Amino acid sequence: QVQLVESGGGLVQPGGSLRLSCAASASRFSINAMGWYRQAPGKQRELVASITGGGSTNYADSVKGRFTISRDNAKNTVYLQMNSLKPEDTAVYYCRANIYYSGSWNVYWGQGTQVTVSS
């Protein structure tokens, strides 16, 4: 069974930084694209950043220049470095990954981690 385990959320003041991590685990699997989404109260889940297996990245306009997505393929882990955080970045952040497991490609989601930006 595939699991995506997130960590690194918390409470931070405006202008501060946080680093989110998401580690995938299972026996005998492959990972292609990975990404981070977020959902604020009363809003739809939205893409924050994504990274392909080859390392190409894509960012939402609202986070360009402030957030950086990266991955460590040896550790099956994707990271989201968030700098210059704003109150509007407050949301539950979810990790998403396209994983080949048990004979097929499927999308898997993490359980979510809360990020709160407030003074």
Tab-separated table of all heavy atoms in Angstrom, residues 64-111:
chain	number	residue	atom	x	y	z
A	64	LYS	N	5.040	32.453	-6.931
A	64	LYS	CA	6.294	32.570	-7.700
A	64	LYS	C	7.240	33.554	-7.022
A	64	LYS	O	6.838	34.637	-6.610
A	64	LYS	CB	5.982	33.027	-9.125
A	64	LYS	CG	5.457	31.932	-10.021
A	64	LYS	CD	5.198	32.452	-11.430
A	64	LYS	CE	4.648	31.349	-12.315
A	64	LYS	NZ	4.316	31.859	-13.675
A	65	GLY	N	8.493	33.138	-6.917
A	65	GLY	CA	9.504	33.979	-6.293
A	65	GLY	C	9.576	33.837	-4.780
A	65	GLY	O	10.509	34.348	-4.154
A	66	ARG	N	8.584	33.157	-4.183
A	66	ARG	CA	8.573	32.980	-2.734
A	66	ARG	C	8.713	31.509	-2.333
A	66	ARG	O	9.329	31.195	-1.322
A	66	ARG	CB	7.269	33.534	-2.140
A	66	ARG	CG	7.063	35.014	-2.387
A	66	ARG	CD	5.847	35.536	-1.602
A	66	ARG	NE	4.602	34.906	-2.004
A	66	ARG	CZ	3.807	34.249	-1.163
A	66	ARG	NH1	4.125	34.135	0.117
A	66	ARG	NH2	2.674	33.710	-1.603
A	67	PHE	N	8.116	30.618	-3.118
A	67	PHE	CA	8.135	29.190	-2.806
A	67	PHE	C	9.050	28.460	-3.788
A	67	PHE	O	9.153	28.837	-4.965
A	67	PHE	CB	6.735	28.586	-2.925
A	67	PHE	CG	5.757	29.025	-1.881
A	67	PHE	CD1	6.029	30.075	-1.005
A	67	PHE	CD2	4.531	28.384	-1.764
A	67	PHE	CE1	5.118	30.479	-0.050
A	67	PHE	CE2	3.607	28.774	-0.812
A	67	PHE	CZ	3.895	29.818	0.039
A	68	THR	N	9.680	27.395	-3.303
A	68	THR	CA	10.523	26.554	-4.149
A	68	THR	C	10.204	25.088	-3.898
A	68	THR	O	10.249	24.629	-2.750
A	68	THR	CB	12.007	26.799	-3.877
A	68	THR	OG1	12.323	28.184	-4.094
A	68	THR	CG2	12.881	25.952	-4.801
A	69	ILE	N	9.876	24.373	-4.970
A	69	ILE	CA	9.626	22.936	-4.866
A	69	ILE	C	10.876	22.190	-5.316
A	69	ILE	O	11.560	22.612	-6.264
A	69	ILE	CB	8.392	22.512	-5.694
A	69	ILE	CG1	8.007	21.070	-5.393
A	69	ILE	CG2	8.620	22.737	-7.189
A	69	ILE	CD1	6.670	20.654	-5.994
A	70	SER	N	11.189	21.102	-4.625
A	70	SER	CA	12.328	20.271	-4.990
A	70	SER	C	12.020	18.829	-4.605
A	70	SER	O	11.050	18.563	-3.893
A	70	SER	CB	13.602	20.758	-4.295
A	70	SER	OG	13.477	20.687	-2.891
A	71	ARG	N	12.850	17.918	-5.088
A	71	ARG	CA	12.624	16.514	-4.750
A	71	ARG	C	13.947	15.784	-4.611
A	71	ARG	O	14.952	16.174	-5.221
A	71	ARG	CB	11.736	15.840	-5.798
A	71	ARG	CG	12.330	15.770	-7.181
A	71	ARG	CD	11.290	15.321	-8.211
A	71	ARG	NE	10.944	13.907	-8.072
A	71	ARG	CZ	9.910	13.330	-8.682
A	71	ARG	NH1	9.116	14.066	-9.461
A	71	ARG	NH2	9.670	12.051	-8.528
A	72	ASP	N	13.920	14.755	-3.781
A	72	ASP	CA	15.054	13.859	-3.614
A	72	ASP	C	14.580	12.476	-4.037
A	72	ASP	O	13.874	11.806	-3.279
A	72	ASP	CB	15.522	13.881	-2.155
A	72	ASP	CG	16.772	13.037	-1.927
A	72	ASP	OD1	17.005	12.100	-2.696
A	72	ASP	OD2	17.503	13.321	-0.970
A	73	ASN	N	14.934	12.077	-5.237
A	73	ASN	CA	14.427	10.811	-5.769
A	73	ASN	C	14.935	9.607	-4.974
A	73	ASN	O	14.238	8.594	-4.876
A	73	ASN	CB	14.794	10.669	-7.237
A	73	ASN	CG	14.058	11.665	-8.112
A	73	ASN	OD1	12.938	12.077	-7.805
A	73	ASN	ND2	14.682	12.081	-9.208
A	74	ALA	N	16.117	9.709	-4.414
A	74	ALA	CA	16.659	8.605	-3.626
A	74	ALA	C	15.840	8.369	-2.359
A	74	ALA	O	15.778	7.242	-1.856
A	74	ALA	CB	18.113	8.881	-3.270
A	75	LYS	N	15.230	9.441	-1.867
A	75	LYS	CA	14.426	9.345	-0.641
A	75	LYS	C	12.927	9.347	-0.937
A	75	LYS	O	12.126	9.325	0.001
A	75	LYS	CB	14.758	10.502	0.292
A	75	LYS	CG	16.193	10.497	0.807
A	75	LYS	CD	16.431	11.659	1.752
A	75	LYS	CE	17.850	11.633	2.305
A	75	LYS	NZ	18.100	12.771	3.220
A	76	ASN	N	12.561	9.404	-2.229
A	76	ASN	CA	11.144	9.446	-2.613
A	76	ASN	C	10.409	10.564	-1.870
A	76	ASN	O	9.292	10.372	-1.368
A	76	ASN	CB	10.474	8.103	-2.342
A	76	ASN	CG	11.065	6.984	-3.158
A	76	ASN	OD1	11.287	7.127	-4.355
A	76	ASN	ND2	11.352	5.859	-2.511
A	77	THR	N	11.055	11.711	-1.811
A	77	THR	CA	10.542	12.824	-1.019
A	77	THR	C	10.486	14.101	-1.851
A	77	THR	O	11.400	14.378	-2.636
A	77	THR	CB	11.434	13.052	0.216
A	77	THR	OG1	11.417	11.861	1.020
A	77	THR	CG2	10.928	14.211	1.054
A	78	VAL	N	9.418	14.856	-1.651
A	78	VAL	CA	9.283	16.166	-2.270
A	78	VAL	C	9.207	17.215	-1.161
A	78	VAL	O	8.667	16.950	-0.078
A	78	VAL	CB	8.035	16.237	-3.182
A	78	VAL	CG1	6.747	16.035	-2.391
A	78	VAL	CG2	7.999	17.533	-3.967
A	79	TYR	N	9.796	18.371	-1.434
A	79	TYR	CA	9.861	19.447	-0.452
A	79	TYR	C	9.203	20.703	-1.010
A	79	TYR	O	9.157	20.902	-2.218
A	79	TYR	CB	11.317	19.773	-0.106
A	79	TYR	CG	12.120	18.592	0.365
A	79	TYR	CD1	12.928	17.876	-0.509
A	79	TYR	CD2	12.065	18.186	1.704
A	79	TYR	CE1	13.665	16.785	-0.087
A	79	TYR	CE2	12.809	17.094	2.142
A	79	TYR	CZ	13.606	16.401	1.246
A	79	TYR	OH	14.338	15.324	1.677
A	80	LEU	N	8.735	21.551	-0.105
A	80	LEU	CA	8.238	22.864	-0.481
A	80	LEU	C	8.826	23.871	0.502
A	80	LEU	O	8.434	23.893	1.669
A	80	LEU	CB	6.714	22.929	-0.473
A	80	LEU	CG	6.125	24.242	-0.985
A	80	LEU	CD1	6.392	24.398	-2.493
A	80	LEU	CD2	4.625	24.321	-0.707
A	81	GLN	N	9.780	24.656	0.030
A	81	GLN	CA	10.352	25.724	0.833
A	81	GLN	C	9.512	26.974	0.627
A	81	GLN	O	9.371	27.449	-0.499
A	81	GLN	CB	11.801	25.991	0.422
A	81	GLN	CG	12.459	27.124	1.180
A	81	GLN	CD	12.641	26.820	2.654
A	81	GLN	OE1	13.051	25.720	3.023
A	81	GLN	NE2	12.334	27.796	3.506
A	82	MET	N	8.950	27.475	1.713
A	82	MET	CA	8.058	28.620	1.637
A	82	MET	C	8.682	29.789	2.385
A	82	MET	O	8.896	29.716	3.599
A	82	MET	CB	6.695	28.273	2.247
A	82	MET	CG	6.050	27.049	1.614
A	82	MET	SD	4.390	26.721	2.239
A	82	MET	CE	4.762	26.261	3.919
A	83	ASN	N	8.993	30.844	1.656
A	83	ASN	CA	9.578	32.055	2.237
A	83	ASN	C	8.621	33.232	2.079
A	83	ASN	O	7.683	33.180	1.283
A	83	ASN	CB	10.908	32.370	1.549
A	83	ASN	CG	11.945	31.270	1.722
A	83	ASN	OD1	11.974	30.570	2.734
A	83	ASN	ND2	12.787	31.102	0.722
A	84	SER	N	8.887	34.276	2.822
A	84	SER	CA	8.070	35.501	2.753
A	84	SER	C	6.583	35.173	2.838
A	84	SER	O	5.775	35.655	2.049
A	84	SER	CB	8.374	36.258	1.449
A	84	SER	OG	9.739	36.582	1.353
A	85	LEU	N	6.232	34.355	3.804
A	85	LEU	CA	4.849	33.897	3.930
A	85	LEU	C	3.908	35.051	4.253
A	85	LEU	O	4.261	35.990	4.978
A	85	LEU	CB	4.757	32.811	4.990
A	85	LEU	CG	5.245	31.441	4.517
A	85	LEU	CD1	5.580	30.538	5.685
A	85	LEU	CD2	4.182	30.789	3.629
A	86	LYS	N	2.699	34.935	3.699
A	86	LYS	CA	1.662	35.944	3.881
A	86	LYS	C	0.449	35.299	4.539
A	86	LYS	O	0.246	34.075	4.424
A	86	LYS	CB	1.248	36.505	2.513
A	86	LYS	CG	2.385	37.076	1.693
A	86	LYS	CD	1.890	37.508	0.318
A	86	LYS	CE	3.015	38.071	-0.535
A	86	LYS	NZ	2.535	38.472	-1.887
A	87	PRO	N	-0.395	36.086	5.191
A	87	PRO	CA	-1.605	35.516	5.795
A	87	PRO	C	-2.461	34.752	4.779
A	87	PRO	O	-3.081	33.746	5.141
A	87	PRO	CB	-2.334	36.755	6.326
A	87	PRO	CG	-1.236	37.722	6.642
A	87	PRO	CD	-0.206	37.505	5.562
A	88	GLU	N	-2.476	35.188	3.536
A	88	GLU	CA	-3.269	34.499	2.519
A	88	GLU	C	-2.688	33.144	2.109
A	88	GLU	O	-3.318	32.403	1.355
A	88	GLU	CB	-3.457	35.384	1.275
A	88	GLU	CG	-2.181	35.965	0.716
A	88	GLU	CD	-1.929	37.389	1.199
A	88	GLU	OE1	-2.131	37.656	2.417
A	88	GLU	OE2	-1.518	38.228	0.359
A	89	ASP	N	-1.514	32.807	2.605
A	89	ASP	CA	-0.964	31.471	2.384
A	89	ASP	C	-1.520	30.455	3.382
A	89	ASP	O	-1.247	29.255	3.259
A	89	ASP	CB	0.569	31.489	2.503
A	89	ASP	CG	1.232	32.307	1.410
A	89	ASP	OD1	0.801	32.205	0.243
A	89	ASP	OD2	2.176	33.056	1.731
A	90	THR	N	-2.278	30.924	4.348
A	90	THR	CA	-2.873	30.034	5.339
A	90	THR	C	-3.813	29.046	4.677
A	90	THR	O	-4.729	29.439	3.942
A	90	THR	CB	-3.633	30.847	6.398
A	90	THR	OG1	-2.701	31.669	7.115
A	90	THR	CG2	-4.358	29.929	7.368
A	91	ALA	N	-3.571	27.762	4.910
A	91	ALA	CA	-4.371	26.704	4.286
A	91	ALA	C	-3.869	25.355	4.788
A	91	ALA	O	-2.834	25.268	5.454
A	91	ALA	CB	-4.238	26.758	2.766
A	92	VAL	N	-4.614	24.321	4.441
A	92	VAL	CA	-4.107	22.957	4.590
A	92	VAL	C	-3.366	22.611	3.302
A	92	VAL	O	-3.928	22.763	2.204
A	92	VAL	CB	-5.232	21.952	4.859
A	92	VAL	CG1	-4.662	20.534	4.957
A	92	VAL	CG2	-5.982	22.319	6.135
A	93	TYR	N	-2.143	22.173	3.438
A	93	TYR	CA	-1.312	21.841	2.283
A	93	TYR	C	-1.272	20.326	2.107
A	93	TYR	O	-1.007	19.585	3.053
A	93	TYR	CB	0.096	22.401	2.476
A	93	TYR	CG	0.168	23.882	2.238
A	93	TYR	CD1	-0.429	24.780	3.117
A	93	TYR	CD2	0.802	24.398	1.109
A	93	TYR	CE1	-0.398	26.149	2.887
A	93	TYR	CE2	0.860	25.766	0.876
A	93	TYR	CZ	0.256	26.630	1.756
A	93	TYR	OH	0.292	27.990	1.527
A	94	TYR	N	-1.519	19.896	0.872
A	94	TYR	CA	-1.565	18.470	0.534
A	94	TYR	C	-0.494	18.128	-0.481
A	94	TYR	O	-0.300	18.842	-1.470
A	94	TYR	CB	-2.929	18.107	-0.057
A	94	TYR	CG	-4.097	18.296	0.874
A	94	TYR	CD1	-4.790	19.502	0.913
A	94	TYR	CD2	-4.516	17.266	1.713
A	94	TYR	CE1	-5.870	19.672	1.759
A	94	TYR	CE2	-5.596	17.439	2.565
A	94	TYR	CZ	-6.261	18.637	2.577
A	94	TYR	OH	-7.331	18.814	3.433
A	95	CYS	N	0.138	17.008	-0.253
A	95	CYS	CA	1.090	16.452	-1.202
A	95	CYS	C	0.330	15.536	-2.171
A	95	CYS	O	-0.610	14.845	-1.767
A	95	CYS	CB	2.132	15.652	-0.433
A	95	CYS	SG	3.275	14.702	-1.427
A	96	ARG	N	0.742	15.548	-3.429
A	96	ARG	CA	0.122	14.719	-4.455
A	96	ARG	C	1.219	14.076	-5.285
A	96	ARG	O	2.213	14.741	-5.607
A	96	ARG	CB	-0.762	15.573	-5.352
A	96	ARG	CG	-1.472	14.847	-6.487
A	96	ARG	CD	-2.164	15.877	-7.363
A	96	ARG	NE	-3.015	15.309	-8.394
A	96	ARG	CZ	-2.579	14.955	-9.598
A	96	ARG	NH1	-1.307	15.096	-9.919
A	96	ARG	NH2	-3.430	14.451	-10.484
A	97	ALA	N	1.033	12.810	-5.634
A	97	ALA	CA	2.061	12.132	-6.429
A	97	ALA	C	1.430	11.154	-7.400
A	97	ALA	O	0.438	10.495	-7.070
A	97	ALA	CB	3.033	11.404	-5.521
A	98	ASN	N	2.010	11.074	-8.601
A	98	ASN	CA	1.630	10.054	-9.576
A	98	ASN	C	2.570	8.861	-9.374
A	98	ASN	O	3.780	8.976	-9.587
A	98	ASN	CB	1.772	10.591	-10.998
A	98	ASN	CG	0.788	11.697	-11.297
A	98	ASN	OD1	-0.198	11.877	-10.579
A	98	ASN	ND2	1.049	12.454	-12.334
A	99	ILE	N	2.008	7.755	-8.977
A	99	ILE	CA	2.817	6.608	-8.563
A	99	ILE	C	2.396	5.354	-9.320
A	99	ILE	O	1.192	5.072	-9.452
A	99	ILE	CB	2.697	6.379	-7.039
A	99	ILE	CG1	3.314	7.583	-6.299
A	99	ILE	CG2	3.372	5.082	-6.619
A	99	ILE	CD1	3.177	7.518	-4.793
A	100	TYR	N	3.422	4.629	-9.796
A	100	TYR	CA	3.178	3.332	-10.419
A	100	TYR	C	3.334	2.263	-9.341
A	100	TYR	O	4.414	2.077	-8.775
A	100	TYR	CB	4.163	3.081	-11.550
A	100	TYR	CG	3.903	1.795	-12.299
A	100	TYR	CD1	2.978	1.776	-13.337
A	100	TYR	CD2	4.562	0.612	-11.969
A	100	TYR	CE1	2.716	0.606	-14.044
A	100	TYR	CE2	4.308	-0.552	-12.657
A	100	TYR	CZ	3.386	-0.552	-13.699
A	100	TYR	OH	3.130	-1.719	-14.378
A	101	TYR	N	2.235	1.598	-9.084
A	101	TYR	CA	2.249	0.595	-8.011
A	101	TYR	C	1.234	-0.494	-8.325
A	101	TYR	O	0.128	-0.189	-8.792
A	101	TYR	CB	1.907	1.262	-6.670
A	101	TYR	CG	1.790	0.297	-5.511
A	101	TYR	CD1	2.917	-0.265	-4.928
A	101	TYR	CD2	0.535	-0.051	-4.994
A	101	TYR	CE1	2.815	-1.142	-3.862
A	101	TYR	CE2	0.429	-0.929	-3.940
A	101	TYR	CZ	1.574	-1.470	-3.375
A	101	TYR	OH	1.482	-2.340	-2.317
A	102	SER	N	1.632	-1.706	-8.125
A	102	SER	CA	0.734	-2.853	-8.317
A	102	SER	C	0.140	-2.873	-9.725
A	102	SER	O	-1.051	-3.155	-9.892
A	102	SER	CB	-0.373	-2.821	-7.260
A	102	SER	OG	-1.103	-4.028	-7.243
A	103	GLY	N	0.987	-2.522	-10.729
A	103	GLY	CA	0.582	-2.693	-12.112
A	103	GLY	C	-0.108	-1.527	-12.775
A	103	GLY	O	-0.530	-1.628	-13.932
A	104	SER	N	-0.254	-0.387	-12.090
A	104	SER	CA	-0.909	0.755	-12.728
A	104	SER	C	-0.452	2.067	-12.120
A	104	SER	O	0.051	2.098	-10.994
A	104	SER	CB	-2.437	0.626	-12.597
A	104	SER	OG	-2.815	0.690	-11.240
A	105	TRP	N	-0.651	3.151	-12.915
A	105	TRP	CA	-0.378	4.507	-12.431
A	105	TRP	C	-1.637	5.065	-11.783
A	105	TRP	O	-2.736	4.958	-12.333
A	105	TRP	CB	0.016	5.417	-13.591
A	105	TRP	CG	1.394	5.183	-14.101
A	105	TRP	CD1	1.758	4.433	-15.181
A	105	TRP	CD2	2.604	5.713	-13.557
A	105	TRP	NE1	3.113	4.456	-15.334
A	105	TRP	CE2	3.657	5.236	-14.353
A	105	TRP	CE3	2.901	6.552	-12.475
A	105	TRP	CZ2	5.005	5.562	-14.105
A	105	TRP	CZ3	4.231	6.872	-12.227
A	105	TRP	CH2	5.260	6.377	-13.044
A	106	ASN	N	-1.463	5.664	-10.628
A	106	ASN	CA	-2.582	6.297	-9.936
A	106	ASN	C	-2.096	7.547	-9.210
A	106	ASN	O	-0.904	7.718	-8.973
A	106	ASN	CB	-3.213	5.337	-8.912
A	106	ASN	CG	-3.997	4.218	-9.568
A	106	ASN	OD1	-5.063	4.439	-10.126
A	106	ASN	ND2	-3.442	3.022	-9.529
A	107	VAL	N	-3.052	8.392	-8.867
A	107	VAL	CA	-2.751	9.591	-8.088
A	107	VAL	C	-2.989	9.305	-6.615
A	107	VAL	O	-4.037	8.751	-6.239
A	107	VAL	CB	-3.637	10.771	-8.538
A	107	VAL	CG1	-3.460	11.954	-7.604
A	107	VAL	CG2	-3.304	11.157	-9.979
A	108	TYR	N	-2.020	9.682	-5.811
A	108	TYR	CA	-2.138	9.506	-4.363
A	108	TYR	C	-2.001	10.864	-3.677
A	108	TYR	O	-1.273	11.747	-4.158
A	108	TYR	CB	-1.042	8.558	-3.846
A	108	TYR	CG	-1.198	7.142	-4.335
A	108	TYR	CD1	-0.677	6.745	-5.558
A	108	TYR	CD2	-1.882	6.194	-3.571
A	108	TYR	CE1	-0.819	5.449	-6.020
A	108	TYR	CE2	-2.020	4.890	-4.018
A	108	TYR	CZ	-1.497	4.527	-5.242
A	108	TYR	OH	-1.648	3.241	-5.698
A	109	TRP	N	-2.682	11.004	-2.548
A	109	TRP	CA	-2.677	12.243	-1.770
A	109	TRP	C	-2.202	11.969	-0.353
A	109	TRP	O	-2.481	10.904	0.224
A	109	TRP	CB	-4.080	12.841	-1.689
A	109	TRP	CG	-4.600	13.368	-2.987
A	109	TRP	CD1	-5.305	12.678	-3.927
A	109	TRP	CD2	-4.472	14.694	-3.481
A	109	TRP	NE1	-5.620	13.494	-4.990
A	109	TRP	CE2	-5.127	14.753	-4.733
A	109	TRP	CE3	-3.873	15.861	-3.007
A	109	TRP	CZ2	-5.197	15.914	-5.509
A	109	TRP	CZ3	-3.941	17.022	-3.769
A	109	TRP	CH2	-4.591	17.037	-4.999
A	110	GLY	N	-1.509	12.961	0.208
A	110	GLY	CA	-1.173	12.910	1.612
A	110	GLY	C	-2.360	13.328	2.458
A	110	GLY	O	-3.408	13.719	1.938
A	111	GLN	N	-2.182	13.286	3.774
A	111	GLN	CA	-3.279	13.569	4.692
A	111	GLN	C	-3.473	15.060	4.925
A	111	GLN	O	-4.499	15.466	5.466
A	111	GLN	CB	-3.024	12.867	6.040
A	111	GLN	CG	-2.045	13.577	6.972
A	111	GLN	CD	-0.589	13.404	6.577
A	111	GLN	OE1	-0.254	12.757	5.585
A	111	GLN	NE2	0.291	13.974	7.385
